[in-house]
Amino acid sequence: MSTRFWCETAWVDGLVATGVLLTADDTGTLTSVETGIDTPPTIAEVVPGFTLPGGVNAHSHAFHRILRGRTHGDGGTFWTWREVMYSVAAKLSPENYETVARAVFAEMLAGGYTSVGEFHYVHHAPDGTPYGGDDSTRAHAMERALARAAASAGMRIRLLDTCYLTGGIDTDLSAEQARFGDGTIDGYMDRHEALSEAFATEFPVGAPGESFVHVGSAIHSIRAVPAANLPRFADLDGPVHVHLSEQPAENEASQAAYGTTPTQVLARSGVVASNLSAVHATHLSEDDIATLGGAEASIVMCPCTEADLADGIGPARELADAGATISIGSDQHVVLDALREIQSMEAGERLRSGQRGRFSPAELITSLTEGGARSLDLPVGELAVGKACDFIAVATDSMRTYGSAGEQIILSATSADVSMTVSGAQVRVRDGVHTELGPISELYRAAFAALGMED
C-alpha cells in the first residue's frame, strides 16, 4: 500500500515547485516525487500552502522546556540559570520524564520539526546509582523513556548519549551532577555500548520512514570530559556532538588548563572530523573557525537560546564560508519554532555585521533541513526518493504570510502558520493539535503535574 500527498507548492531540489505529488510506501519512505501535477489525484491528501522537508532540531535538552518563562525574574547569568536547571533535573524519574518528553516532542512537531538530536545526560538515579542493577529490563530507564516518548509522538530521534565525568576541569562532579556521570571513560563507553545494543533490539533500524530511534554519542564539553579521555571518541562510529565555546569562561578555563582553546583541545585529540557537531561555537578564534571548517564539521547554532542566555552571537557566516555545515537547534526550548530559529540566526548575523542577507532564504532552509540531517546522520531533510516522508506545510494566506514571495515566506512565517506536520507518511499534527495525543497544552498540564509543579 502507498500513501500520497499532493502539495500546492513545495521545496524540491532547492527550488519552489508547484503541484508536487509525494508517494510513500508502507514504511513511510518516499518512492516518488513528481512536480507539475496540476490536478490532485482523488486518492491523495491535498496539502495547501508551502511544503518544506521536516525541520531537523539538531540540539535539544527536553527537560529544559520546563524552565520556559520561569527564569527571567531577577536577570542573572548563564551560571545562575544553570542552578535552576539542576533543580528541575533533580525531579526527573523515568516515569515523569516520559510524560514531560512526550509533551515536548509533540510541541516540536507543531513547531515545524520532525527530527531531533536529544543531547541526553540525565542517565542515573539522583544519587548516581544506575537504574536496573541486575534487572536488565530496568537498565537505561531514562534513555528508554525518551525513546518511547519520541516514538509515541512520531518524532524521529537521534539520542545523543552524553559523557559527563567532571564538574569542571580538574573538578569532581557536584551532588546535583551525580546522576549525569559514569565514573570513568571506561564506565561511559561500557554503558554506551550496552545502550546501543539494547536499542538495536528494541528499536530496530529499518527503512528510512520507519526508523524513529537512533543512538549517537556526545561529549558534554571539555569542562566535563578530561582531555586525556577525548581520543576515545575518535574511535566511535556515527555522529559525535559537543558543547563548544558557549561561554567565555569555558575558553578561559581551557587556556588556563591546556594553553589553548576548546576547539584546539578537541583537534589535538583527533575528534574534530566530519562526523563532529559543535554546538553553539559562539566564542571562536580565527584558527578555531579554520579548524572546524577545514574538517567539514557541522555547527549547531541555537540562536533563540543563545539570545535568551545572553551567550553572544556566533560566527555562523564565517564558519559556513570556511567549509562547515550549519544546522539549527532549540537547546533549552525558550521557543519551539523552527522558523523563528532560522530567522533569529539571520537576524543575529545582520546585527553583528550591519549587512542584510547574510544567509539567503535557500541557505536558511538548508540549515534547517539538510544541515540537520547531516549533523544527526538521518535519512531526512529532502523531499527525495529514498528519504523519509517527513514534511511540514506552512500556510501562505495568514495575516503573517499573505503576500510573501516564494521561499521568502520562511522569514515571515512562524510556528502558528504550520498547518500540518507529517513524519513517516503519517499526519502527526493538524492546526496545532496532535492527531493521536490531543491538545498539546493538556500534555503539558500532565507533565507539570507529574513533576509536582502544577502551581
Side-chain angles (χ1 to χ4, degrees):
M1 296 202 39
S2 61
T3 303
R4 288 184 167 187
F5 299 92
W6 181 87
C7 308
E8 186 178 19
T9 62
W11 188 250
V12 179
D13 293 332
L15 297 170
V16 178
T18 59
V20 178
L21 182 62
L22 305 176
T23 303
D25 63 18
D26 58 3
T27 73
T29 302
L30 287 167
T31 57
S32 176
V33 178
E34 302 171 75
T35 61
I37 308 297
D38 295 333
T39 304
T42 55
I43 59 172
E45 175 157 0
V46 174
V47 183
F50 180 43
T51 297
L52 285 164
V56 180
N57 184 348
H59 188 68
S60 161
H61 302 292
F63 76 92
H64 288 195
R65 163 61 182 84
I66 299 301
L67 278 68
R68 184 189 295 171
R70 303 172 73 93
T71 64
H72 304 280
D74 58 356
T77 67
F78 167 85
W79 305 102
T80 57
W81 171 91
R82 191 175 71 157
E83 295 306 314
V84 182
M85 179 269 289
Y86 285 157
S87 71
V88 174
K91 297 177 183 292
L92 297 177
S93 68
E95 293 74 22
N96 65 32
Y97 202 9
E98 184 170 350
T99 302
V100 169
R102 185 182 298 113
V104 176
F105 294 145
E107 187 188 1
M108 276 188 202
L109 288 159
Y113 299 108
T114 56
S115 300
V116 64
E118 182 60 30
F119 198 105
H120 170 67
Y121 53 83
V122 188
H123 303 300
H124 308 302
D127 65 356
T129 302
Y131 286 102
D134 295 330
D135 181 2
S136 61
T137 64
R138 184 69 174 164
H140 317 298
M142 296 295 275
E143 291 76 16
R144 285 179 161 124
L146 285 165
R148 288 193 301 267
S152 66
M155 173 63 69
R156 206 173 302 279
I157 186 172
R158 173 73 72 177
L159 196 148
L160 297 163
D161 182 37
T162 303
C163 184
Y164 201 133
L165 301 178
T166 58
I169 298 174
D170 295 327
T171 303
D172 292 338
L173 294 175
S174 63
E176 60 263 36
Q177 295 168 326
R179 66 187 313 189
F180 308 161
D182 293 301
T184 65
I185 189 63
D186 286 337
Y188 167 79
M189 290 294 175
D190 289 346
R191 186 185 55 74
H192 178 72
E193 181 179 3
L195 172 67
S196 300
E197 291 175 353
F199 273 30
T201 300
E202 295 177 39
F203 307 98
V205 174
E210 64 183 9
S211 304
F212 274 84
V213 179
H214 308 253
V215 176
S217 61
I219 302 159
H220 180 272
S221 59
I222 67 151
R223 292 180 291 107
V225 180
N229 297 154
L230 293 173
R232 298 287 293 275
F233 290 88
D235 298 329
L236 295 179
D237 295 328
V240 177
H241 284 225
V242 60
H243 290 131
L244 185 67
S245 291
E246 180 178 6
Q247 292 287 323
E250 177 185 336
N251 287 5
E252 293 163 7
S254 179
Q255 287 285 353
Y258 303 122
T260 192
T261 65
T263 298
Q264 301 309 323
V265 172
L266 293 173
R268 290 175 181 175
S269 302
V271 178
V272 179
S274 60
N275 68 327
L276 181 73
S277 287
V279 181
H280 303 301
T282 306
H283 303 282
L284 302 180
S285 68
E286 291 184 3
D287 285 345
D288 293 340
I289 293 169
T291 295
L292 293 164
E296 299 182 343
S298 292
I299 307 297
V300 187
M301 309 299 295
C302 304
C304 289
T305 287
E306 288 147 9
D308 180 71
L309 296 177
D311 286 345
I313 301 171
R317 183 69 265 171
E318 290 87 340
L319 284 159
D321 291 343
T325 297
I326 305 299
S327 59
I328 293 293
S330 67
D331 195 7
Q332 61 144 328
H333 318 310
V334 63
V335 296
L336 276 170
D337 186 327
L339 297 164
R340 184 169 161 187
E341 290 288 355
I342 55 176
Q343 291 161 13
S344 295
M345 183 172 76
E346 171 62 12
E349 281 290 317
R350 294 183 184 191
L351 287 169
R352 77 181 184 89
S353 70
Q355 300 173 348
R356 301 185 82 226
R358 296 280 285 177
F359 285 91
S360 69
E363 287 177 307
L364 293 173
I365 293 171
T366 298
S367 294
L368 179 61
T369 57
E370 296 176 63
R374 181 182 186 276
S375 171
L376 298 180
D377 189 22
L378 292 177
V380 299
E382 300 173 80
L383 298 178
V385 173
K387 300 292 186 180
C389 184
D390 294 5
F391 65 83
I392 64 172
V394 179
T396 55
D397 58 356
S398 79
M399 61 184 177
R400 288 165 296 276
T401 61
Y402 199 96
S404 297
E407 67 268 30
Q408 293 183 56
I409 193 173
I410 65 160
L411 291 165
S412 59
T414 73
S415 61
D417 300 306
V418 177
S419 59
M420 178 189 294
T421 303
V422 170
S423 67
Q426 295 186 43
V427 179
R428 307 295 180 173
V429 175
R430 288 187 191 273
D431 298 321
V433 177
H434 198 284
T435 57
E436 294 184 5
L437 302 177
I440 297 167
S441 60
E442 292 301 313
L443 299 179
Y444 276 119
R445 190 183 305 277
F448 275 80
L451 293 171
M453 296 174 63
E454 298 95 326
D455 298 329

